[in-house]
Amino acid sequence: MRRCLITGTITFFLMLLLLSACKKESEAPSPILLRVDGREVSLEQFHKRFSKSLPQGHKLSEEEREELERSFLVQVIDRELTLAQADRMAIRISPEMHDKAIEEARKEYPAGTFETMLRERGTSLQEWSNDLQEDLLMEKVVHQRVYAKLEVSEQEIADYYKENQKEFDRPDQVRARQIVVSTEEEGQKVLGLLRQGEDFADIARKYSLSPDSNEGGDLGFFAKGEMPPEFEKAVFNLAVGRLSDLVKSEYGYHVFLVEEKRQAAQLTLDDVRDEIRETLLSAKKEKAYQEWLRDLRSQATIEMDWSLFK
């Protein structure tokens, strides 16, 4: 009996070893598609990143997929170049900064829906967190190496204002809020609540289907030609503080509240100084960033296995 038990035990362990060997063979590492300054990207990693970059449910023809993959490959190379630079600079992201970025991202989604969004995108919380860590590293590198030294002078601002005067001719504008519901019955209900004195922003947050409902339905300032004709006809003829009747559009049934009106005016340099500074700085950042990337590419060691990229 003892001999049978020993024999059975040995057989059991042999089977375990055999199964383990088969598992290891089936889990052979994905081949390396790309090496950038010592950083490696496997074929599996590339396909996973590419899939996550596509809109959900989007179907591609073979030709479309090939074209998009080649464009995405450039983005992956630039990402790896930047992360390799972070390695060389020994840049780190503190746990506090990482945690703060996670919390900021979560705030963009209603409670309990963040993890659902990740699952729908085919990624885990850990994978997303790792990607976020790399994004923060890249932002820090680019800020230190590219953006930190950029400035916009007062002379540049004045020159831009002088050369683009027509850009600062502001037309008549209206600032309004809206509530959007799906049926006329719901619209009448909302109108009744508002006419009884309920706060417009509160009702918008509670009932509106529009993405701006989180901001109480605030549409900001807009001029004629910037909104659908039905919207403009309703709001530009309303006095400040007045509610519109129900307005039907392809999106549903709307109620508008006009909060403020601005008359047409020529904005002064003081009015738009900060706006011009941001415009010029943004253009400088884009130019400097592209030049910096070209410089990195010219000095980098990039190896690509094109036989896998088919």
Side-chain angles (χ1 to χ4, degrees):
M1 173 69 76
R2 181 177 175 83
R3 185 174 178 184
C4 288
L5 285 172
I6 293 172
T7 303
T9 303
I10 292 172
T11 304
F12 175 72
F13 278 112
L14 284 173
M15 288 176 66
L16 278 180
L17 288 171
L18 186 61
L19 286 170
S20 177
C22 290
K23 186 177 181 182
K24 286 181 181 177
E25 194 173 315
S26 66
E27 293 179 356
S30 176
I32 301 303
L33 174 69
L34 176 69
R35 288 185 177 87
V36 179
D37 281 348
R39 293 180 58 85
E40 296 181 341
V41 177
S42 70
L43 185 63
E44 182 183 4
Q45 287 174 318
F46 176 82
H47 284 314
K48 195 164 188 177
R49 291 184 195 176
F50 177 71
S51 295
K52 286 193 288 187
S53 73
L54 297 174
Q56 288 180 4
H58 190 69
K59 293 184 179 181
L60 300 171
S61 67
E62 196 65 36
E63 186 177 326
E64 287 175 325
R65 185 177 187 86
E66 184 177 332
E67 183 178 346
L68 286 176
E69 280 187 341
R70 287 183 180 276
S71 297
F72 188 70
L73 177 62
V74 176
Q75 297 177 38
V76 171
I77 290 173
D78 289 344
R79 183 181 182 88
E80 296 302 316
L81 282 170
T82 306
L83 290 170
Q85 181 65 35
D87 292 340
R88 289 191 290 271
M89 294 170 66
I91 287 180
R92 298 290 180 267
I93 300 298
S94 69
E96 294 78 15
M97 185 181 294
H98 190 207
D99 291 344
K100 183 179 178 181
I102 290 174
E103 286 307 308
E104 289 297 320
R106 282 183 176 277
K107 287 179 184 177
E108 299 295 319
Y109 296 85
T113 63
F114 185 73
E115 284 75 11
T116 302
M117 176 276 295
L118 293 178
R119 285 194 297 271
E120 289 174 350
R121 288 176 54 186
T123 191
S124 67
L125 180 60
Q126 186 59 54
E127 287 175 335
W128 175 84
S129 178
N130 292 340
D131 288 343
L132 176 64
Q133 178 82 3
E134 290 187 347
D135 290 342
L136 293 171
L137 279 171
M138 292 170 62
E139 287 177 12
K140 198 167 182 179
V141 172
V142 173
H143 176 76
Q144 290 187 15
R145 282 301 178 98
V146 185
Y147 297 161
K149 58 188 177 184
L150 298 178
E151 294 180 350
V152 176
S153 70
E154 284 298 316
Q155 187 60 53
E156 288 175 307
I157 294 172
D159 289 343
Y160 184 92
Y161 179 79
K162 185 177 180 180
E163 293 165 8
N164 298 274
Q165 285 274 321
K166 289 184 179 179
E167 188 178 322
F168 306 110
D169 288 336
R170 189 182 70 196
D172 288 330
Q173 292 181 320
V174 168
R175 182 180 182 184
R177 292 181 185 269
Q178 71 166 343
I179 296 171
V180 187
V181 292
S182 58
T183 68
E184 184 175 3
E185 183 181 0
E186 290 175 297
Q188 292 297 346
K189 175 184 175 181
V190 164
L191 261 179
L193 291 171
L194 294 171
R195 286 168 177 164
Q196 290 171 26
E198 295 286 339
D199 182 75
F200 193 99
D202 290 342
I203 297 297
R205 292 187 187 97
K206 187 173 182 180
Y207 292 101
S208 184
L209 303 175
S210 180
D212 50 55
S213 61
N214 290 333
E215 288 76 48
D218 190 2
L219 294 169
F221 281 99
F222 56 91
K224 288 184 178 179
E226 295 178 1
M227 288 287 183
E230 312 96 283
F231 293 18
E232 291 181 3
K233 185 177 179 181
V235 299
F236 277 94
N237 293 325
L238 278 177
V240 173
R242 295 292 299 275
L243 290 170
S244 72
D245 292 325
L246 276 187
V247 177
K248 190 176 185 305
S249 80
E250 60 181 302
Y251 308 105
Y253 291 83
H254 306 250
V255 180
F256 296 98
L257 169 68
V258 173
E259 292 204 320
E260 191 177 347
K261 289 189 175 184
R262 285 176 176 169
Q263 292 185 338
Q266 170 68 51
L267 300 177
T268 67
L269 178 56
D270 285 340
D271 291 332
V272 296
R273 178 175 275 102
D274 290 342
E275 179 186 332
I276 293 174
R277 179 178 283 105
E278 284 303 311
T279 298
L280 294 177
L281 186 59
S282 179
K284 284 190 174 189
K285 282 181 176 181
E286 180 60 24
K287 182 181 178 183
Y289 177 64
Q290 293 301 329
E291 289 175 351
W292 181 71
L293 278 179
R294 282 195 293 271
D295 188 50
L296 281 184
R297 292 185 197 120
S298 68
Q299 300 178 48
T301 302
I302 302 174
E303 300 173 46
M304 175 75 186
D305 189 343
W306 289 104
S307 66
L308 298 173
F309 199 65
K310 292 182 180 178

